[in-house]
Amino acid sequence: MLLPGSVTDKFRGTFPQLVAAVSGTLSCVSDGMQYGWTAPVIPKLLSVDSPIVVTKDQAEWLETILMLGACCGLPLTMFLVDKIGRKGSLLASASTTLVAWIIIALAPSVEYIYFARFIAGMAGDTAFVAAPMYIAEMADQKIRGFLSSIIYLMMLTGVLLIYCVAPFVPIYVPCIIGVCLNTITLVSFPFMPDSPYYLLYKNRPEEAKKSLERLRPCGDVDAEIKDIAAAVERQKEEKGRPQDLVLVKSNRRALIIMVWLNGSQHMSSISVMLMNMHSILEEAGAVHISSSTAAIIFSAIMFCAAMSASLAIDNFGRRVLLVTSGILAGTSLGVVAVYFTLKNNGVDVLHVSWVPAMAVMCYAAAFKFGIGLVPIVLTAELFPAKVKAMGMTISDACYVGFSVISLQIYHQLKNRFGIQVPFYIFAVWCFCTVAFTIAFIPETKGKTLEEIQFILKGEDKGVKGTAQSNSEAYKNEGFEP
């Protein structure tokens, strides 16, 4: 089927950007494999014929150590993306993950896997900060949302790949796949153009122009490079201290948005679903489905939903996807909560035992259509250059922190009051995200990064870097030009 003319026009002349985005995010497939690795591999490690002796307590730490690595990698990530750049950080991340896969494949004991998972968590954190920054700064605004969403598509591909492969092959086989993916990145990505924003920020205008010429073979490079230079110069004048994330109005608004959205990803129960799906379906009394099959179906549905959203995000906008996703995900979780309420109060629900399984799969589609995809797009759009590394790193820290909080809410409330209680909370959070989106989140579709900054300042108008507009902006934020 042919693409509509409008879609074809949107992608015309953007092939170099697409190649750069795919090359730079290919290692995110490997990061997705690391994220989903424990689900199919831990049962093998706990089996009698495991190649490595692993206890149940040690196996639980294999899940946690990845997130601990991500937490510990936050300061390093903030340093790297500014010091060696977005492109350099992605190459460093791919190199580290490649080493992690080699260690896992050759590990003689579980301690080696601990170390490998820890550095893989650090590398994954760097990749998921640097990749959105790189794409947002090099992409044309008409496809920026689509290209930014490739990051999550790559990660979901990795999760689906590990679920489909790992249960049926020796433990070292996924490691070989991970090594190959990162090797391709290390071979191809050095030849891709660097971020024009970053190059101008580092006072390398000639390199920035050459980079933009490669990315925009058919565009007006001279005009755009002037716009970018004006934006970078204005943002350089603004302070970049950590406290300015709170003190400056536009930064504060961006930070609040990203903290809420990153929290919403987990407080809408995605970690709970991924890590407890089998036990949830068993408690529901649903038709039996193996954990590996359920995981494959769940991740496949999320991938399809994310693919659809990535194609729609630059046509319908970020807000529409967030609102639609929040309503549908909240409704799906509400159905699960009501089902368990009836079941735990003695109501015969055997004839509708298929409902929770269907609701969980509907949730998978709804979640990845908006709440699970849009934050990665917005996170690199909302923060100005001066505080982008700090803002995105704090956002990433909130993402990690809320994953732990959501799991604790689920287990503690389930054990004390019943499984329906946490699902009511998760459903309500989804609807609160809808209200928050409508009231607080600006639409960034089709806007330049500079225009987005002025919208966040309360000046909803296109700005092209004129001296008068810049002067007014500085005064509004408490600065003098």
Side-chain angles (χ1 to χ4, degrees):
M1 183 177 68
L2 295 176
L3 289 172
S6 58
V7 176
T8 305
D9 292 340
K10 184 176 74 172
F11 284 93
R12 182 173 291 120
T14 61
F15 183 72
Q17 300 169 44
L18 179 61
V19 173
V22 171
S23 177
T25 59
L26 187 60
S27 63
C28 292
V29 177
S30 170
D31 294 325
M33 291 173 63
Q34 286 282 359
Y35 185 75
W37 184 82
T38 54
V41 173
I42 282 181
K44 288 188 171 187
L45 294 176
L46 294 176
S47 65
V48 293
D49 57 347
S50 170
I52 300 173
V53 177
V54 177
T55 67
K56 187 175 180 181
D57 289 339
Q58 289 174 328
E60 291 178 359
W61 271 103
L62 286 174
E63 293 183 354
T64 307
I65 201 73
L66 186 75
M67 304 311 294
L68 289 177
C71 288
C72 294
L74 292 171
L76 179 62
T77 295
M78 189 163 52
F79 171 79
L80 287 178
V81 292
D82 276 342
K83 190 67 176 179
I84 65 174
R86 293 64 161 132
K87 181 179 174 181
S89 297
L90 286 170
L91 290 170
S93 172
S95 302
T96 304
T97 309
L98 185 149
V99 171
W101 282 120
I102 293 175
I103 294 174
I104 293 173
L106 303 177
S109 66
V110 71
E111 287 77 15
Y112 285 83
I113 303 181
Y114 283 156
F115 175 73
R117 295 276 290 166
F118 184 84
I119 64 174
M122 295 180 68
D125 179 81
T126 300
F128 277 87
V129 172
M133 294 175 74
Y134 174 75
I135 291 176
E137 293 174 354
M138 69 87 178
D140 191 309
Q141 61 259 32
K142 66 181 180 180
I143 62 164
R144 189 175 60 232
F146 170 75
L147 292 184
S148 296
S149 66
I150 287 178
I151 302 162
Y152 261 139
L153 292 176
M154 292 294 190
M155 189 205 71
L156 287 172
T157 300
V159 173
L160 182 57
L161 182 61
I162 199 75
Y163 285 168
C164 291
V165 173
F168 314 108
V169 298
I171 291 175
Y172 64 82
V173 173
C175 300
I176 295 174
I177 297 174
V179 167
C180 291
L181 290 167
N182 286 285
T183 300
I184 294 172
T185 296
L186 293 173
V187 170
S188 64
F189 194 51
F191 298 100
M192 297 296 112
D194 207 337
S195 158
Y197 269 85
Y198 175 75
L199 293 173
L200 284 171
Y201 189 76
K202 291 298 182 179
N203 296 316
R204 293 150 64 183
E206 291 300 320
E207 293 179 54
K209 185 176 181 180
K210 290 179 181 178
S211 174
L212 200 61
E213 286 173 345
R214 292 180 61 190
L215 292 166
R216 312 277 198 276
C218 304
D220 185 357
V221 173
D222 290 332
E224 186 171 357
I225 201 74
K226 289 179 181 178
D227 289 342
I228 295 174
V232 170
E233 285 304 312
R234 182 187 67 79
Q235 292 174 24
K236 275 187 175 181
E237 292 295 326
E238 296 181 356
K239 299 177 183 179
R241 303 169 304 175
Q243 59 265 40
D244 290 312
L245 278 171
V246 177
L247 297 178
V248 177
K249 175 184 175 182
S250 56
N251 295 342
R252 183 169 63 249
R253 185 177 178 188
L255 185 63
I256 292 171
I257 290 171
M258 292 319 306
V259 168
W260 182 274
L261 289 183
N262 279 290
S264 294
Q265 291 197 65
H266 291 289
M267 290 304 293
S268 59
S269 82
I270 187 60
S271 290
V272 170
M273 287 292 190
L274 286 173
M275 297 183 184
N276 300 275
M277 186 186 310
H278 192 50
S279 62
I280 291 171
L281 294 179
E282 283 184 347
E283 187 161 345
V287 178
H288 178 71
I289 181 171
S290 69
S291 57
S292 59
T293 302
I296 291 172
I297 294 173
F298 191 84
S299 56
I301 290 174
M302 285 199 299
F303 179 85
C304 293
M307 177 63 77
S308 300
S310 68
L311 294 172
I313 193 168
D314 286 314
N315 292 330
F316 297 102
R318 287 64 161 148
R319 283 161 53 91
V320 171
L321 266 60
L322 280 173
V323 170
T324 303
S325 173
I327 292 173
L328 295 178
T331 301
S332 299
L333 293 172
V335 168
V336 173
V338 171
Y339 176 90
F340 279 118
T341 300
L342 296 175
K343 183 176 184 293
N344 293 340
N345 281 279
V347 178
D348 182 10
V349 292
L350 185 61
H351 60 292
V352 290
S353 61
W354 54 270
V355 168
M358 181 62 70
V360 165
M361 299 309 167
C362 289
Y363 163 82
F367 173 80
K368 269 303 172 188
F369 190 74
I371 295 176
L373 183 77
V374 173
I376 197 70
V377 176
L378 287 177
T379 190
E381 294 181 333
L382 296 182
F383 293 108
K386 199 72 172 179
V387 296
K388 184 169 288 188
M390 288 186 289
M392 292 184 66
T393 303
I394 292 173
S395 298
D396 198 49
C398 292
Y399 180 86
V400 175
F402 274 103
S403 68
V404 177
I405 293 172
S406 66
L407 288 168
Q408 287 300 311
I409 287 175
Y410 172 73
H411 288 296
Q412 295 297 327
L413 295 182
K414 173 191 172 185
N415 294 335
R416 296 185 182 186
F417 305 107
I419 192 173
Q420 70 276 5
V421 175
F423 279 106
Y424 278 121
I425 292 174
F426 297 144
V428 169
W429 192 287
C430 288
F431 290 115
C432 288
T433 298
V434 172
F436 180 84
T437 299
I438 295 171
F440 207 69
I441 298 179
E443 181 54 71
T444 62
K445 180 190 76 171
K447 303 290 193 303
T448 67
L449 298 183
E450 176 75 342
E451 289 170 340
I452 292 170
Q453 287 306 304
F454 277 86
I455 292 173
L456 290 172
K457 296 175 191 296
E459 301 180 17
D460 194 358
K461 60 183 179 180
V463 179
K464 298 301 181 183
T466 64
Q468 181 180 1
S469 297
N470 286 341
S471 177
E472 291 174 356
Y474 296 142
K475 290 177 181 178
N476 286 341
E477 294 296 343
F479 302 119
E480 290 300 328

